[in-house]
Amino acid sequence: MDKYKHKVDWCDACNQGWIEVKRNSVSNNIHFRCSECLNEYEKYEDINTEKVLKIEVDWNALDLSEEEILQHNLWKYIIKEWENYQLVRNDGVIIKVWSKDKRKFIKP
């Protein structure tokens, strides 16, 4: 689990970064944040939608501990592996597949 420790999705907005579970050091809230374009989402279901949080960019977003991830029931959303060109979460759900033609991840 260390390779994808806090990663929950690939960012469709910039197509360059991982969306990770982070704690906003300004608001102290748990958000889902892109490592590249810094888009933040309040809920997992909002990822890669128009529901981007309109907040001040937090350059010091913090990783959550394993205990916090379990306590907030986020473990199931963490990516377990990239297998056969598929992003697979810990709960076994395939969230995206790699398209060789488009050279990006797409929803299955």
Side-chain angles (χ1 to χ4, degrees):
M1 186 166 124
D2 285 347
K3 184 174 183 181
Y4 300 108
K5 188 173 183 179
H6 297 104
K7 295 169 176 59
V8 297
D9 205 339
W10 183 252
C11 184
D12 290 345
C14 69
N15 198 33
Q16 296 181 31
W18 289 102
I19 296 180
E20 302 170 310
V21 177
K22 293 284 186 177
R23 179 174 305 284
N24 185 295
S25 64
V26 176
S27 68
N28 204 34
N29 293 328
I30 295 173
H31 294 154
F32 298 92
R33 178 181 188 218
C34 176
S35 60
E36 287 294 320
C37 68
L38 305 179
N39 279 349
E40 285 194 14
Y41 304 90
E42 186 174 8
K43 298 183 295 192
Y44 180 82
E45 294 77 17
D46 294 344
I47 293 174
N48 292 320
T49 69
E50 299 296 318
K51 296 182 181 180
V52 176
L53 289 174
K54 306 294 184 207
I55 59 172
E56 185 176 328
V57 174
D58 174 15
W59 298 103
N60 299 312
L62 308 168
D63 286 339
L64 275 67
S65 68
E66 296 299 318
E67 293 79 26
E68 287 178 297
I69 287 174
L70 292 171
Q71 176 186 4
H72 293 282
N73 201 25
L74 299 170
W75 178 85
K76 63 185 173 187
Y77 298 127
I78 304 293
I79 294 171
K80 176 178 71 170
E81 60 193 65
W82 179 8
E83 179 180 273
N84 298 325
Y85 300 99
Q86 301 173 337
L87 291 177
V88 183
R89 295 188 326 201
N90 277 327
D91 64 359
V93 173
I94 298 169
I95 59 168
K96 291 191 176 158
V97 296
W98 180 255
S99 170
K100 290 181 183 179
D101 299 345
K102 297 180 181 181
R103 295 194 301 185
K104 67 178 189 176
F105 284 109
I106 57 174
K107 295 193 185 260

